[in-house]
Amino acid sequence: MAEGSRAEGSMAEGSRAEGSRTAPLAFGQVVIGPPGSGKTTYCHAMREFLARLGRSVAVVNLDPANEALARPCALDIGELVTLPDVMAGLGLGPNGGLLYCMEYLEANADWLRERLRALRGHYLLFDCPGQVELYTHHQALRNVLAQLAKWNFRLAAVHLVDSHYCTDPGKFISVLCTSLATMLHVELPHVNVLSKMDLIEQYGKLAFNLDYYTEVLDLSYLVDHLASDPFFRNFRRLNEKLVEVIEDYSLVSFVPLNVQDKQSMRQVMQAVDKANGYSFGDQEHRSLEALMSAAVGADFHFSSTLAVQEKYVQSQDKAVEEEVMDL
């Protein structure tokens, strides 16, 4: 009987493996980032943008703390577990409760698979929690994403970072370290995005041109700029070592994003389609120029960055003129 049970178990595992190999490819984005970076806004803006291009898009809410959904989602983790229930039932705080929710989702991966089966044929946008630990060293969400890959989901991580960090060199170095740690831990094709670019002029004057931040150019200039502050001067060696780590990996760069600008959304879409492989498929008509751009990596988003930089400079010039007029 025991041998028969083992044989049946092996056959079941084999059939599941066979099912995952024969399942049709599905593409999507895993939208991650710290709280307030605009993940939910991005998901719904990208859904509307892609829908206009003819794609069937579905938003999947994987944030158990996101109870008051402004717009309906095709799949909501709240059907399985919610953060308030976990906090009340287990006496956990917000951070511990969120980690438990992700571990609970990992343990109930079959529930997720059944719900996603109904969404086959859709381009998926996974709206994830904003707790940084989930993307830097905790294993639960990473294991869930690895399981999705086994189910033939071809995903790219879209890591949103608020653009206001560019105005503070110390915070920007921290963002670079977090982005690098996230890229190495999540182990997905990765697109880092500077969100809320339409508000960047409200945050103050940038020390360098915008392309310096998006392309993460020579960071020694940033360390020198930090050293001009008496507080950071004491941490110069630490900042130099952090910058060395970032430059040694040479992985982090950013795409600027304004969700209200169609051209900006298009640039992000192209970067993500290149990362998850959608641009190489036959899901929709693409020009030869677009395919060649994806194949050789020719699209460096320079035109998009330049356009944002011009708007930013014009705004700064206008502010200076108003100050002069006031004098």
Side-chain angles (χ1 to χ4, degrees):
M1 290 291 291
E3 291 181 0
S5 299
R6 284 197 295 270
E8 290 176 2
S10 299
M11 292 177 62
E13 291 178 3
S15 63
R16 282 197 295 268
E18 182 69 23
S20 65
R21 284 196 295 270
T22 57
L25 283 177
F27 294 89
Q29 305 177 24
V30 179
V31 184
I32 61 179
S37 57
K39 296 183 295 296
T40 301
T41 300
Y42 169 86
C43 284
H44 292 291
M46 183 58 73
R47 176 176 65 178
E48 294 176 1
F49 183 80
L50 294 177
R52 292 193 193 101
L53 298 179
R55 297 191 197 181
S56 297
V57 186
V59 175
V60 177
N61 176 44
L62 291 185
D63 186 358
N66 195 2
E67 292 183 290
L69 297 174
R71 301 176 188 178
C73 296
L75 173 58
D76 183 10
I77 192 178
E79 300 172 12
L80 176 69
V81 62
T82 65
L83 181 59
D85 290 343
V86 170
M87 292 172 61
L90 300 178
L92 296 173
N95 291 340
L98 198 50
L99 295 180
Y100 179 89
C101 289
M102 291 298 102
E103 292 170 355
Y104 192 80
L105 175 63
E106 179 188 3
N108 291 273
D110 290 340
W111 174 89
L112 181 62
R113 187 176 191 180
E114 286 300 319
R115 297 302 190 277
L116 290 176
R117 196 166 277 156
L119 299 178
R120 282 290 181 177
H122 288 74
Y123 187 96
L124 300 178
L125 299 172
F126 292 88
D127 187 2
C128 295
Q131 192 166 358
V132 177
E133 297 96 307
L134 292 171
Y135 316 118
T136 56
H137 57 272
H138 196 260
Q139 300 294 325
L141 187 58
R142 172 188 176 182
N143 293 340
V144 170
L145 298 178
Q147 193 63 55
L148 288 172
K150 293 179 182 178
W151 298 337
N152 267 359
F153 287 90
R154 297 295 177 260
L155 304 173
V158 179
H159 185 209
L160 297 181
V161 176
D162 198 316
S163 59
H164 89 268
Y165 290 119
C166 295
T167 61
D168 188 319
K171 290 180 180 179
F172 187 68
I173 290 178
S174 299
V175 162
L176 292 174
C177 291
T178 303
S179 299
L180 178 59
T182 300
M183 295 176 75
L184 297 176
H185 182 74
V186 173
E187 295 183 343
L188 283 177
H190 216 88
V191 178
N192 292 302
V193 175
L194 284 176
S195 63
K196 305 180 184 178
M197 290 303 300
D198 52 317
L199 303 177
I200 190 170
E201 65 271 8
Q202 301 178 14
Y203 300 141
K205 185 174 177 59
L206 297 179
F208 306 98
N209 286 339
L210 186 61
D211 60 339
Y212 176 86
Y213 299 93
T214 57
E215 301 302 328
V216 189
L217 302 176
D218 188 354
L219 294 177
S220 63
Y221 293 103
L222 207 60
V223 174
D224 292 337
H225 187 74
L226 269 175
S228 62
D229 188 316
F231 175 79
F232 287 105
R233 191 176 302 140
N234 298 326
F235 302 98
R236 183 183 181 100
R237 283 181 56 81
L238 174 61
N239 289 327
E240 287 175 344
K241 294 303 179 183
L242 291 174
V243 163
E244 283 181 17
V245 172
I246 296 166
E247 293 184 331
D248 285 347
Y249 277 95
S250 190
L251 290 175
V252 184
S253 62
F254 295 94
V255 181
L257 171 66
N258 172 9
V259 294
Q260 299 176 359
D261 183 7
K262 293 181 180 179
Q263 181 63 21
S264 179
M265 293 289 287
R266 177 176 170 272
Q267 294 286 346
V268 174
M269 180 200 71
Q270 289 178 335
V272 176
D273 285 352
K274 190 189 306 181
N276 63 17
Y278 185 90
S279 60
F280 301 103
D282 56 358
Q283 284 77 8
E284 63 185 24
H285 174 72
R286 276 170 291 275
S287 67
L288 178 61
E289 180 183 358
L291 287 173
M292 289 300 294
S293 174
V296 302
D299 185 8
F300 292 111
H301 319 291
F302 177 76
S303 59
S304 175
T305 304
L306 185 60
V308 175
Q309 176 69 25
E310 288 177 351
K311 292 179 182 178
Y312 173 78
V313 171
Q314 290 173 359
S315 176
Q316 290 292 320
D317 291 343
K318 183 178 180 181
V320 172
E321 289 177 3
E322 290 177 351
E323 290 179 2
V324 173
M325 291 294 293
D326 292 339
L327 293 175

